[in-house]
Amino acid sequence: MDSFVEQLKRGTEEEFTEESAWDGSVVNTTSSSLPTVYLPLLPRYLWHPTTRGRKATEFQETKKACLNYIQDALLQHQWQRAAEFMTNYLETLESTSAEKRMAAPEVIWRIGTEILCHHPKSSIEEFNYFAERMKNLGVKRYLKVCLEHVFHLLCNGLIDDAYQNLSLAEGWRYGEQTVAQDKELKLIQAYKGLLDYYNWAKKRKAMLELDGNFADSVEQEMHSFFRQAAVNLKEIIKIPGVWDPFVKCYVDLLEFYEDYDEVRQVLSEYAYNSKFPPNPNAHVYYYQFLKRQGESKKTLKSVLKILHEIVPSHELMLEYNAMLQKSKKRKNHRLGLEIIFTLLDFAGWKEHVKAWSCLAKQIKQILENSSKHLDWVTEEWNSRKDWWPAFHFSHYLAKRNWQENESLACEKALVAGILLGKGNFKSSSLLPGIEILASSSFNGRGRV
Amino acid sequence: MEEEDTRDYSEPCVQCSVVNWGLTDEGRFYCKSCHNVIERTKEVLTSDVVPNTKIQSISRGFRKRKKIDKGWEWYVCEGFQYILKKQAEALQTLGVCPQMKDEILCNFWRRYLQKSKQAYCTTPASYTSKALSMSDISTDVDSEPERISIHGLSSFSESDGDLQTESSFGHVSSIGNASARETTSICSGSVDGGSYLLKRKKGNLRMSMPMTLSFCYIALLWLREPVTLSDLLRFVIDGHIPYLNAFQYFPEEMKLYGVDLKIFRVESWPVYEDVHNKMSELAAFLDLPCFPAITDSCFLHPNILCIKYLMEANLPDELHNWTCRVVKKINVGETDFLTLDPVNKSARKVKYDVLAAAIIIVVLKLLFLLDDQYEWLNANFAGKRNQKNKEGCLWFDFKKWYKIMKKSVDVEQKKLDEERARCLWKCEKPLFYSAKEKSVVLKKRQMVVNLQRQFGALSGSMQVAEKQSPSSFQLNWAEENTDGNCFHGHILEGVLQEKGNSLTTMNTKYWLCTVKLCNEKICGHLTHYKESDFPQSYQFVLNLFSFLLRVPASLIHEEVCLIEHKLFKTKLHRK
């Protein structure tokens, strides 16, 4: 307030100049805050627009203000205050305006859940009560509310309640609404499948611990859970999308019952069907399954090749590289080199000792084998020689590596020595010299 | 009762061609003028009206119960009568003399009924429930138009499955095949609800919820009670006078639904200007004589009201001399000017509270100029002087006053805004347009109540503090307070100077709010208020009084302009 006074004292000329711009005659200003439109050719009385349209009733205006208060309170985490205004805002459910009345349940549902999630005095019973009310508020939202309710229960560890709710929701039918809410229904079925799997797993564990008479009934239950889970999970995996947890559970189920063909089919669909969004995990799952099944190296390598194209920095690339090195074919070795170089292009692998040691070994092998394939190394190095030195072999990194991880430093030093060494890579006879050179470039502390 | 049953039958009697039917003890119709008994019996009329079918036979035996209990038959004006009664009682508890309810208001109301030919006259307006065209009803009402479905049985596709829009505006089966014989009814609890909203005949004044307040105010004015219109409206908004959901005071048997909702449901608070205009219309309509005179000693006289507002606005008492001077100069203190005379149509109807506030503002402008410079310089001067002389009378320091007032008004305004947002508009008695809606509305109501209970428990101990007893003063400034917040005793030393025998202002300048007044008939108002055209101090003072009176600032501004024009009439006309 003082600054305002100061401002005025200094003499604000601006407002006076604006006033003098008016000619002293009739100022037909409207009392609304709309700006005037100065169009000199237009008659004067058309300069001032007026608002048209239905005036909002005070009921609607006060409810809007109420909503603002609620939002402020939520942002400031004042849950009690929010709850207080919520009691008043609930009246919008009975608003005379049909559109407001139809928009109200969604707002109330969202705000209500927010308050009940965070309010210190609220409990899970309160939440359940509220969720039940919300389900009754409108059919269009029924399944969505159910789903969110189930999520909340799951987050709070109430798996059985969640399961009950899911079962109820799964059986819900309401004429054409069922079709309109198809997506939610599918999700509900999927999660039910997931929980069925969870129950199945519990039963399985119980069965292993039990023995004798009880094992039979438990086994029956286990099988029924399996059937239910299998149906739902199979359905959901058919829909294009990312269903990783569901796929894993489904595969686990099928493997227990040794239905490997189904697994193979499901996983290859999941990984290779172009309708599905690209998902590296799909390939990983497929690869892991094939490995478990003891498939030939050839198939494994082909799966990993596709993975390499999608995610060159995947951790399975090391394994892939190892597989390629073991093979006899020359092109596999070439591919392996390419893979390991690409791997080290990524920042996540910078400090990975194994990767560096692989690279070092491979380069050493190439140099030792009569440098026949030196051009491979040159080729790979060419695209990298402008930025690898700064990326991997900087002075600062070198010092840090020595301090933190000596083995890493050693491997890197070896590679650095070879790649950065003066002149082109000559015959292997230069190799020992290069090693000494490399070690000396690190203050002579390295040993190879 | 017999009239209800025979009203709908309008066939002339075979023998004497007069439509005047009564019911015998057995329930048969007979002509009252020639005592001719006909075959028709009561039962025919009370069977349900099935849309689009003719009544083929007299059905005895099992009668399908109507979903809405008919209850009593009641007229709209009866409803308003109940409301007025409740309002008068509330005013009585607030301290108004009991004469108001039993004599004044009652008589005014009877006079109104007489003038509008609803009662107390020889030929009451007939309420034949003709088929009405929808457009008539919807155009005349200024609330939101609903989507009207003629075949109001199908729900719209976008609506929720279990809720209809206000589509079933009565079981309007009669549209299209209206015939005078077929008994149809616009769905409404009252008998004349449907016809009530039709375009009124010229010269007839239709009753509405804001009108009830006009009635109250006219009665208060007649008695010259110390309640201004702004006070009255403030009491209404604070809930001391029934207005919102006043229909819940109707007796149980008076069922309210359908078109009645448009009449009795309140979605907005009453607006000062609206009520005031209606009041003058009402006074003219009732052919009232000149009201009791408002003299110097009357509460509504500007001199007295100025004292009240000066106290509330925490301004020095010395300003009162100046307000009296201004009042005298522009002759607004004359009895003729102040008293309401319905006969004299051209006389401007006085808004007492707005007038008093405007006078104070003009006085402030005279003394302090309020041009964002003079008053601050003066305030500095006064402040320095107050620093030096701590004992003795303090000079009025505009800057200090501004700081204190701004802070407290901001706090109060914030409280007021929150109160407005917290206001509960719906009551226990549910409102619905038709039988179909009833179950839905009740269900919703139940759900809202449940949820409110749940969240109310979570609100903790912030339970509604019982409404404080209403008071005339909203802001209180006590002299005894040692924090020096009260300015009543301060003196206007710094702005006045001696000139001969009297005091005059040191400030010799004055700026007019507007040079020329608009034509009221064209613009609706005499002036228009655009904030950015005026200095901040003026805006502040205007907003202060706008808050105290709960009226828009433009209304007070208009009054200020009027006063200035009267005050500087000679100077203006010389131009």
Side-chain angles (χ1 to χ4, degrees), chain B residues 362-378:
Chain B
V362 170
V363 164
L364 283 175
K365 269 176 87 175
L366 282 170
L367 293 176
F368 295 102
L369 191 53
L370 293 186
D371 66 342
D372 284 345
Q373 284 197 337
Y374 182 84
E375 65 272 13
W376 302 111
L377 294 172
N378 176 271

Side-chain angles (χ1 to χ4, degrees), chain A residues 8-190:
Chain A
L8 286 171
K9 273 214 299 206
R10 268 180 242 125
T12 47
E13 306 294 319
E14 292 87 67
E15 39 184 284
F16 286 6
T17 51
E18 200 196 342
E19 275 189 44
S20 61
W22 292 100
D23 53 350
S25 59
V26 173
V27 189
N28 257 343
T29 53
T30 58
S31 53
S32 69
S33 55
L34 293 171
T36 60
V37 176
Y38 180 61
L39 293 171
L41 299 176
L42 222 52
R44 223 189 168 125
Y45 52 81
L46 285 181
W47 284 3
H48 303 281
T50 49
T51 48
R52 289 262 171 252
R54 204 158 55 212
K55 200 168 159 261
T57 59
E58 282 217 39
F59 174 80
Q60 288 166 3
E61 283 179 8
T62 47
K63 288 311 168 204
K64 217 189 313 191
C66 201
L67 186 62
N68 283 338
Y69 281 119
I70 295 180
Q71 286 170 338
D72 281 341
L74 286 179
L75 283 171
Q76 294 170 20
H77 290 217
Q78 293 167 336
W79 309 113
Q80 257 189 352
R81 196 172 139 90
E84 196 192 313
F85 279 105
M86 187 61 169
T87 36
N88 303 86
Y89 190 71
L90 283 165
E91 282 190 333
T92 42
L93 286 172
E94 298 175 286
S95 166
T96 42
S97 152
E99 36 178 292
K100 297 263 175 353
R101 213 169 39 218
M102 289 202 282
E106 175 100 24
V107 177
I108 287 179
W109 171 47
R110 297 251 179 237
I111 296 182
T113 23
E114 199 57 37
I115 296 179
L116 287 172
C117 274
H118 299 283
H119 197 284
K121 269 205 246 165
S122 116
S123 63
I124 196 69
E125 287 89 31
E126 298 264 353
F127 194 89
N128 288 342
Y129 180 81
F130 183 71
E132 291 306 317
R133 294 281 144 275
M134 287 299 113
K135 286 178 197 168
N136 284 339
L137 257 190
V139 282
K140 279 192 174 171
R141 225 164 282 104
Y142 180 80
L143 285 180
K144 217 195 294 190
V145 176
C146 281
L147 203 54
E148 299 249 353
H149 185 203
V150 162
F151 287 158
H152 190 258
L153 290 170
L154 285 175
C155 288
N156 284 347
L158 298 165
I159 312 248
D160 296 322
D161 288 342
Y163 188 71
Q164 266 173 4
N165 276 306
L166 276 175
S167 317
L168 274 173
E170 201 189 2
W172 183 79
R173 297 283 177 271
Y174 199 93
E176 55 178 45
Q177 281 299 321
T178 325
V179 174
Q181 300 184 41
D182 187 51
K183 280 208 187 103
E184 284 91 357
L185 196 56
K186 284 272 173 333
L187 278 175
I188 286 180
Q189 285 169 339

